PDB file of all heavy atoms in Angstrom:
ATOM      1  N   CYS A 236      13.761  32.293   4.071  1.00  0.00           N
ATOM      2  CA  CYS A 236      12.348  32.169   3.704  1.00  0.00           C
ATOM      3  C   CYS A 236      11.991  30.791   3.160  1.00  0.00           C
ATOM      4  O   CYS A 236      10.817  30.459   3.014  1.00  0.00           O
ATOM      5  CB  CYS A 236      11.964  33.238   2.685  1.00  0.00           C
ATOM      6  SG  CYS A 236      12.897  33.167   1.144  1.00  0.00           S
ATOM      7  N   ALA A 237      13.007  29.970   2.851  1.00  0.00           N
ATOM      8  CA  ALA A 237      12.756  28.615   2.369  1.00  0.00           C
ATOM      9  C   ALA A 237      14.018  27.796   2.529  1.00  0.00           C
ATOM     10  O   ALA A 237      15.130  28.350   2.557  1.00  0.00           O
ATOM     11  CB  ALA A 237      12.314  28.630   0.907  1.00  0.00           C
ATOM     12  N   ILE A 238      13.843  26.471   2.666  1.00  0.00           N
ATOM     13  CA  ILE A 238      15.002  25.577   2.744  1.00  0.00           C
ATOM     14  C   ILE A 238      14.809  24.425   1.781  1.00  0.00           C
ATOM     15  O   ILE A 238      13.684  24.045   1.457  1.00  0.00           O
ATOM     16  CB  ILE A 238      15.215  25.042   4.178  1.00  0.00           C
ATOM     17  CG1 ILE A 238      14.020  24.201   4.625  1.00  0.00           C
ATOM     18  CG2 ILE A 238      15.477  26.166   5.158  1.00  0.00           C
ATOM     19  CD1 ILE A 238      14.210  23.545   5.981  1.00  0.00           C
ATOM     20  N   ASN A 239      15.904  23.888   1.312  1.00  0.00           N
ATOM     21  CA  ASN A 239      15.890  22.717   0.448  1.00  0.00           C
ATOM     22  C   ASN A 239      16.700  21.637   1.146  1.00  0.00           C
ATOM     23  O   ASN A 239      17.928  21.688   1.180  1.00  0.00           O
ATOM     24  CB  ASN A 239      16.498  23.046  -0.912  1.00  0.00           C
ATOM     25  CG  ASN A 239      16.309  21.915  -1.913  1.00  0.00           C
ATOM     26  OD1 ASN A 239      16.376  20.744  -1.557  1.00  0.00           O
ATOM     27  ND2 ASN A 239      16.084  22.270  -3.166  1.00  0.00           N
ATOM     28  N   ILE A 240      16.006  20.669   1.727  1.00  0.00           N
ATOM     29  CA  ILE A 240      16.672  19.645   2.522  1.00  0.00           C
ATOM     30  C   ILE A 240      17.561  18.762   1.664  1.00  0.00           C
ATOM     31  O   ILE A 240      18.641  18.362   2.084  1.00  0.00           O
ATOM     32  CB  ILE A 240      15.625  18.801   3.268  1.00  0.00           C
ATOM     33  CG1 ILE A 240      14.865  19.679   4.267  1.00  0.00           C
ATOM     34  CG2 ILE A 240      16.267  17.636   4.002  1.00  0.00           C
ATOM     35  CD1 ILE A 240      13.767  18.978   5.016  1.00  0.00           C
ATOM     36  N   LEU A 241      17.139  18.464   0.443  1.00  0.00           N
ATOM     37  CA  LEU A 241      17.910  17.562  -0.408  1.00  0.00           C
ATOM     38  C   LEU A 241      19.278  18.135  -0.770  1.00  0.00           C
ATOM     39  O   LEU A 241      20.269  17.421  -0.797  1.00  0.00           O
ATOM     40  CB  LEU A 241      17.119  17.240  -1.675  1.00  0.00           C
ATOM     41  CG  LEU A 241      15.831  16.425  -1.469  1.00  0.00           C
ATOM     42  CD1 LEU A 241      15.130  16.235  -2.798  1.00  0.00           C
ATOM     43  CD2 LEU A 241      16.134  15.084  -0.831  1.00  0.00           C
ATOM     44  N   THR A 242      19.319  19.432  -1.060  1.00  0.00           N
ATOM     45  CA  THR A 242      20.591  20.060  -1.451  1.00  0.00           C
ATOM     46  C   THR A 242      21.259  20.787  -0.291  1.00  0.00           C
ATOM     47  O   THR A 242      22.369  21.310  -0.439  1.00  0.00           O
ATOM     48  CB  THR A 242      20.368  21.070  -2.590  1.00  0.00           C
ATOM     49  OG1 THR A 242      19.472  22.098  -2.131  1.00  0.00           O
ATOM     50  CG2 THR A 242      19.771  20.388  -3.802  1.00  0.00           C
ATOM     51  N   LYS A 243      20.590  20.832   0.857  1.00  0.00           N
ATOM     52  CA  LYS A 243      21.090  21.545   2.043  1.00  0.00           C
ATOM     53  C   LYS A 243      21.389  23.007   1.718  1.00  0.00           C
ATOM     54  O   LYS A 243      22.438  23.545   2.079  1.00  0.00           O
ATOM     55  CB  LYS A 243      22.336  20.854   2.613  1.00  0.00           C
ATOM     56  CG  LYS A 243      22.044  19.498   3.220  1.00  0.00           C
ATOM     57  CD  LYS A 243      23.254  18.920   3.921  1.00  0.00           C
ATOM     58  CE  LYS A 243      22.912  17.582   4.578  1.00  0.00           C
ATOM     59  NZ  LYS A 243      24.052  16.994   5.294  1.00  0.00           N
ATOM     60  N   LYS A 244      20.439  23.634   1.007  1.00  0.00           N
ATOM     61  CA  LYS A 244      20.555  25.050   0.689  1.00  0.00           C
ATOM     62  C   LYS A 244      19.408  25.809   1.317  1.00  0.00           C
ATOM     63  O   LYS A 244      18.337  25.241   1.581  1.00  0.00           O
ATOM     64  CB  LYS A 244      20.566  25.279  -0.825  1.00  0.00           C
ATOM     65  CG  LYS A 244      21.848  24.842  -1.508  1.00  0.00           C
ATOM     66  CD  LYS A 244      21.839  25.218  -2.984  1.00  0.00           C
ATOM     67  CE  LYS A 244      23.146  24.850  -3.656  1.00  0.00           C
ATOM     68  NZ  LYS A 244      23.167  25.264  -5.089  1.00  0.00           N
ATOM     69  N   VAL A 245      19.634  27.095   1.574  1.00  0.00           N
ATOM     70  CA  VAL A 245      18.582  27.950   2.129  1.00  0.00           C
ATOM     71  C   VAL A 245      18.339  29.112   1.178  1.00  0.00           C
ATOM     72  O   VAL A 245      19.264  29.604   0.516  1.00  0.00           O
ATOM     73  CB  VAL A 245      18.974  28.489   3.523  1.00  0.00           C
ATOM     74  CG1 VAL A 245      19.091  27.361   4.522  1.00  0.00           C
ATOM     75  CG2 VAL A 245      20.278  29.296   3.467  1.00  0.00           C
ATOM     76  N   SER A 246      17.087  29.512   1.079  1.00  0.00           N
ATOM     77  CA  SER A 246      16.738  30.692   0.291  1.00  0.00           C
ATOM     78  C   SER A 246      16.609  31.856   1.262  1.00  0.00           C
ATOM     79  O   SER A 246      15.851  31.782   2.237  1.00  0.00           O
ATOM     80  CB  SER A 246      15.425  30.472  -0.455  1.00  0.00           C
ATOM     81  OG  SER A 246      15.559  29.443  -1.403  1.00  0.00           O
ATOM     82  N   VAL A 247      17.340  32.919   1.000  1.00  0.00           N
ATOM     83  CA  VAL A 247      17.397  34.062   1.914  1.00  0.00           C
ATOM     84  C   VAL A 247      16.858  35.308   1.216  1.00  0.00           C
ATOM     85  O   VAL A 247      17.257  35.630   0.094  1.00  0.00           O
ATOM     86  CB  VAL A 247      18.843  34.325   2.393  1.00  0.00           C
ATOM     87  CG1 VAL A 247      18.887  35.535   3.326  1.00  0.00           C
ATOM     88  CG2 VAL A 247      19.405  33.082   3.083  1.00  0.00           C
ATOM     89  N   LYS A 248      15.937  35.983   1.901  1.00  0.00           N
ATOM     90  CA  LYS A 248      15.432  37.254   1.395  1.00  0.00           C
ATOM     91  C   LYS A 248      16.302  38.360   1.983  1.00  0.00           C
ATOM     92  O   LYS A 248      16.387  38.526   3.198  1.00  0.00           O
ATOM     93  CB  LYS A 248      13.970  37.450   1.796  1.00  0.00           C
ATOM     94  CG  LYS A 248      13.343  38.683   1.161  1.00  0.00           C
ATOM     95  CD  LYS A 248      11.847  38.769   1.475  1.00  0.00           C
ATOM     96  CE  LYS A 248      11.202  39.956   0.768  1.00  0.00           C
ATOM     97  NZ  LYS A 248       9.750  40.043   1.056  1.00  0.00           N
ATOM     98  N   LEU A 249      16.956  39.104   1.098  1.00  0.00           N
ATOM     99  CA  LEU A 249      17.881  40.157   1.525  1.00  0.00           C
ATOM    100  C   LEU A 249      17.131  41.460   1.777  1.00  0.00           C
ATOM    101  O   LEU A 249      15.933  41.589   1.471  1.00  0.00           O
ATOM    102  CB  LEU A 249      18.964  40.347   0.474  1.00  0.00           C
ATOM    103  CG  LEU A 249      19.790  39.083   0.144  1.00  0.00           C
ATOM    104  CD1 LEU A 249      20.693  39.327  -1.045  1.00  0.00           C
ATOM    105  CD2 LEU A 249      20.594  38.645   1.364  1.00  0.00           C
ATOM    106  N   SER A 250      17.835  42.440   2.309  1.00  0.00           N
ATOM    107  CA  SER A 250      17.208  43.712   2.662  1.00  0.00           C
ATOM    108  C   SER A 250      16.688  44.464   1.439  1.00  0.00           C
ATOM    109  O   SER A 250      15.783  45.291   1.551  1.00  0.00           O
ATOM    110  CB  SER A 250      18.207  44.592   3.425  1.00  0.00           C
ATOM    111  OG  SER A 250      19.400  44.758   2.655  1.00  0.00           O
ATOM    112  N   ASP A 251      17.244  44.188   0.258  1.00  0.00           N
ATOM    113  CA  ASP A 251      16.761  44.852  -0.957  1.00  0.00           C
ATOM    114  C   ASP A 251      15.576  44.125  -1.598  1.00  0.00           C
ATOM    115  O   ASP A 251      15.123  44.505  -2.679  1.00  0.00           O
ATOM    116  CB  ASP A 251      17.903  44.992  -1.969  1.00  0.00           C
ATOM    117  CG  ASP A 251      18.495  43.647  -2.379  1.00  0.00           C
ATOM    118  OD1 ASP A 251      17.971  42.608  -1.916  1.00  0.00           O
ATOM    119  OD2 ASP A 251      19.483  43.640  -3.141  1.00  0.00           O
ATOM    120  N   GLY A 252      15.108  43.072  -0.948  1.00  0.00           N
ATOM    121  CA  GLY A 252      13.936  42.344  -1.437  1.00  0.00           C
ATOM    122  C   GLY A 252      14.256  41.165  -2.333  1.00  0.00           C
ATOM    123  O   GLY A 252      13.370  40.367  -2.643  1.00  0.00           O
ATOM    124  N   LYS A 253      15.516  41.037  -2.759  1.00  0.00           N
ATOM    125  CA  LYS A 253      15.899  39.922  -3.610  1.00  0.00           C
ATOM    126  C   LYS A 253      16.026  38.640  -2.794  1.00  0.00           C
ATOM    127  O   LYS A 253      16.349  38.679  -1.609  1.00  0.00           O
ATOM    128  CB  LYS A 253      17.229  40.216  -4.309  1.00  0.00           C
ATOM    129  CG  LYS A 253      17.158  41.363  -5.311  1.00  0.00           C
ATOM    130  CD  LYS A 253      18.508  41.567  -5.987  1.00  0.00           C
ATOM    131  CE  LYS A 253      18.444  42.711  -7.002  1.00  0.00           C
ATOM    132  NZ  LYS A 253      19.753  42.944  -7.650  1.00  0.00           N
ATOM    133  N   ILE A 254      15.756  37.505  -3.449  1.00  0.00           N
ATOM    134  CA  ILE A 254      15.884  36.202  -2.791  1.00  0.00           C
ATOM    135  C   ILE A 254      16.996  35.422  -3.487  1.00  0.00           C
ATOM    136  O   ILE A 254      16.983  35.253  -4.706  1.00  0.00           O
ATOM    137  CB  ILE A 254      14.563  35.414  -2.857  1.00  0.00           C
ATOM    138  CG1 ILE A 254      13.473  36.150  -2.093  1.00  0.00           C
ATOM    139  CG2 ILE A 254      14.741  34.012  -2.280  1.00  0.00           C
ATOM    140  CD1 ILE A 254      12.107  35.464  -2.160  1.00  0.00           C
ATOM    141  N   LYS A 255      17.977  34.981  -2.699  1.00  0.00           N
ATOM    142  CA  LYS A 255      19.109  34.240  -3.249  1.00  0.00           C
ATOM    143  C   LYS A 255      19.296  32.942  -2.473  1.00  0.00           C
ATOM    144  O   LYS A 255      18.959  32.854  -1.288  1.00  0.00           O
ATOM    145  CB  LYS A 255      20.393  35.088  -3.174  1.00  0.00           C
ATOM    146  CG  LYS A 255      20.360  36.340  -4.035  1.00  0.00           C
ATOM    147  CD  LYS A 255      21.710  37.050  -4.041  1.00  0.00           C
ATOM    148  CE  LYS A 255      22.795  36.226  -4.689  1.00  0.00           C
ATOM    149  NZ  LYS A 255      24.071  36.984  -4.810  1.00  0.00           N
ATOM    150  N   ASP A 256      19.848  31.945  -3.162  1.00  0.00           N
ATOM    151  CA  ASP A 256      20.118  30.648  -2.536  1.00  0.00           C
ATOM    152  C   ASP A 256      21.572  30.583  -2.087  1.00  0.00           C
ATOM    153  O   ASP A 256      22.487  31.017  -2.813  1.00  0.00           O
ATOM    154  CB  ASP A 256      19.849  29.506  -3.515  1.00  0.00           C
ATOM    155  CG  ASP A 256      18.372  29.386  -3.851  1.00  0.00           C
ATOM    156  OD1 ASP A 256      17.547  29.911  -3.085  1.00  0.00           O
ATOM    157  OD2 ASP A 256      18.055  28.763  -4.888  1.00  0.00           O
ATOM    158  N   TYR A 257      21.774  30.005  -0.905  1.00  0.00           N
ATOM    159  CA  TYR A 257      23.115  29.841  -0.351  1.00  0.00           C
ATOM    160  C   TYR A 257      23.247  28.442   0.248  1.00  0.00           C
ATOM    161  O   TYR A 257      22.273  27.917   0.827  1.00  0.00           O
ATOM    162  CB  TYR A 257      23.394  30.862   0.766  1.00  0.00           C
ATOM    163  CG  TYR A 257      23.300  32.305   0.353  1.00  0.00           C
ATOM    164  CD1 TYR A 257      22.101  32.997   0.472  1.00  0.00           C
ATOM    165  CD2 TYR A 257      24.405  32.984  -0.146  1.00  0.00           C
ATOM    166  CE1 TYR A 257      22.004  34.326   0.108  1.00  0.00           C
ATOM    167  CE2 TYR A 257      24.322  34.320  -0.516  1.00  0.00           C
ATOM    168  CZ  TYR A 257      23.114  34.973  -0.390  1.00  0.00           C
ATOM    169  OH  TYR A 257      23.018  36.304  -0.763  1.00  0.00           O
ATOM    170  N   PRO A 258      24.441  27.825   0.149  1.00  0.00           N
ATOM    171  CA  PRO A 258      24.670  26.588   0.901  1.00  0.00           C
ATOM    172  C   PRO A 258      24.501  26.869   2.388  1.00  0.00           C
ATOM    173  O   PRO A 258      24.871  27.944   2.873  1.00  0.00           O
ATOM    174  CB  PRO A 258      26.120  26.220   0.552  1.00  0.00           C
ATOM    175  CG  PRO A 258      26.381  26.907  -0.760  1.00  0.00           C
ATOM    176  CD  PRO A 258      25.598  28.178  -0.706  1.00  0.00           C
ATOM    177  N   ASN A 259      23.953  25.933   3.093  1.00  0.00           N
ATOM    178  CA  ASN A 259      23.682  26.143   4.518  1.00  0.00           C
ATOM    179  C   ASN A 259      24.944  26.512   5.293  1.00  0.00           C
ATOM    180  O   ASN A 259      24.905  27.321   6.235  1.00  0.00           O
ATOM    181  CB  ASN A 259      23.064  24.866   5.113  1.00  0.00           C
ATOM    182  CG  ASN A 259      22.672  25.031   6.565  1.00  0.00           C
ATOM    183  OD1 ASN A 259      21.788  25.807   6.905  1.00  0.00           O
ATOM    184  ND2 ASN A 259      23.358  24.299   7.447  1.00  0.00           N
ATOM    185  N   ASP A 260      26.091  25.944   4.900  1.00  0.00           N
ATOM    186  CA  ASP A 260      27.343  26.211   5.615  1.00  0.00           C
ATOM    187  C   ASP A 260      27.884  27.615   5.338  1.00  0.00           C
ATOM    188  O   ASP A 260      28.804  28.067   6.026  1.00  0.00           O
ATOM    189  CB  ASP A 260      28.406  25.172   5.222  1.00  0.00           C
ATOM    190  CG  ASP A 260      28.029  23.773   5.693  1.00  0.00           C
ATOM    191  OD1 ASP A 260      27.225  23.668   6.656  1.00  0.00           O
ATOM    192  OD2 ASP A 260      28.520  22.791   5.104  1.00  0.00           O
ATOM    193  N   ASN A 261      27.325  28.316   4.317  1.00  0.00           N
ATOM    194  CA  ASN A 261      27.839  29.633   3.947  1.00  0.00           C
ATOM    195  C   ASN A 261      27.055  30.778   4.567  1.00  0.00           C
ATOM    196  O   ASN A 261      27.298  31.943   4.236  1.00  0.00           O
ATOM    197  CB  ASN A 261      27.832  29.801   2.424  1.00  0.00           C
ATOM    198  CG  ASN A 261      28.885  28.925   1.750  1.00  0.00           C
ATOM    199  OD1 ASN A 261      29.545  28.124   2.401  1.00  0.00           O
ATOM    200  ND2 ASN A 261      29.032  29.062   0.443  1.00  0.00           N
ATOM    201  N   VAL A 262      26.090  30.448   5.440  1.00  0.00           N
ATOM    202  CA  VAL A 262      25.350  31.500   6.135  1.00  0.00           C
ATOM    203  C   VAL A 262      25.531  31.317   7.637  1.00  0.00           C
ATOM    204  O   VAL A 262      25.728  30.207   8.125  1.00  0.00           O
ATOM    205  CB  VAL A 262      23.842  31.484   5.787  1.00  0.00           C
ATOM    206  CG1 VAL A 262      23.627  31.715   4.300  1.00  0.00           C
ATOM    207  CG2 VAL A 262      23.187  30.177   6.216  1.00  0.00           C
ATOM    208  N   GLU A 263      25.476  32.438   8.354  1.00  0.00           N
ATOM    209  CA  GLU A 263      25.646  32.402   9.811  1.00  0.00           C
ATOM    210  C   GLU A 263      24.405  32.972  10.485  1.00  0.00           C
ATOM    211  O   GLU A 263      23.993  34.095  10.188  1.00  0.00           O
ATOM    212  CB  GLU A 263      26.886  33.223  10.215  1.00  0.00           C
ATOM    213  CG  GLU A 263      27.142  33.225  11.709  1.00  0.00           C
ATOM    214  CD  GLU A 263      28.346  34.083  12.078  1.00  0.00           C
ATOM    215  OE1 GLU A 263      29.030  34.575  11.146  1.00  0.00           O
ATOM    216  OE2 GLU A 263      28.588  34.270  13.285  1.00  0.00           O
ATOM    217  N   MET A 264      23.790  32.185  11.338  1.00  0.00           N
ATOM    218  CA  MET A 264      22.582  32.623  12.028  1.00  0.00           C
ATOM    219  C   MET A 264      22.961  33.643  13.103  1.00  0.00           C
ATOM    220  O   MET A 264      23.938  33.466  13.830  1.00  0.00           O
ATOM    221  CB  MET A 264      21.861  31.431  12.655  1.00  0.00           C
ATOM    222  CG  MET A 264      20.472  31.760  13.169  1.00  0.00           C
ATOM    223  SD  MET A 264      19.438  30.291  13.440  1.00  0.00           S
ATOM    224  CE  MET A 264      20.419  29.415  14.659  1.00  0.00           C
ATOM    225  N   ILE A 265      22.168  34.713  13.193  1.00  0.00           N
ATOM    226  CA  ILE A 265      22.422  35.764  14.170  1.00  0.00           C
ATOM    227  C   ILE A 265      21.226  35.890  15.118  1.00  0.00           C
ATOM    228  O   ILE A 265      20.105  35.504  14.793  1.00  0.00           O
ATOM    229  CB  ILE A 265      22.682  37.119  13.481  1.00  0.00           C
ATOM    230  CG1 ILE A 265      21.468  37.513  12.623  1.00  0.00           C
ATOM    231  CG2 ILE A 265      23.942  37.045  12.618  1.00  0.00           C
ATOM    232  CD1 ILE A 265      21.612  38.873  11.973  1.00  0.00           C
ATOM    233  N   ASP A 266      21.493  36.411  16.310  1.00  0.00           N
ATOM    234  CA  ASP A 266      20.443  36.551  17.314  1.00  0.00           C
ATOM    235  C   ASP A 266      19.584  37.784  17.092  1.00  0.00           C
ATOM    236  O   ASP A 266      18.447  37.854  17.534  1.00  0.00           O
ATOM    237  CB  ASP A 266      21.058  36.605  18.719  1.00  0.00           C
ATOM    238  CG  ASP A 266      21.706  35.278  19.102  1.00  0.00           C
ATOM    239  OD1 ASP A 266      21.234  34.249  18.604  1.00  0.00           O
ATOM    240  OD2 ASP A 266      22.682  35.285  19.877  1.00  0.00           O
ATOM    241  N   ALA A 267      20.137  38.779  16.433  1.00  0.00           N
ATOM    242  CA  ALA A 267      19.413  40.045  16.258  1.00  0.00           C
ATOM    243  C   ALA A 267      18.187  39.854  15.371  1.00  0.00           C
ATOM    244  O   ALA A 267      18.172  39.007  14.470  1.00  0.00           O
ATOM    245  CB  ALA A 267      20.341  41.086  15.651  1.00  0.00           C
TER     246      ALA A 267
END
Side-chain angles (χ1 to χ4, degrees):
C236 60
I238 63 175
N239 189 323
I240 296 177
L241 294 178
T242 61
K243 292 187 177 181
K244 288 185 177 182
V245 295
S246 295
V247 179
K248 187 174 184 179
L249 302 172
S250 55
D251 60 3
K253 294 182 180 179
I254 297 177
K255 295 186 65 174
D256 293 341
Y257 300 91
N259 184 65
D260 294 337
N261 290 6
V262 299
E263 181 182 354
M264 191 162 60
I265 59 177
D266 293 331

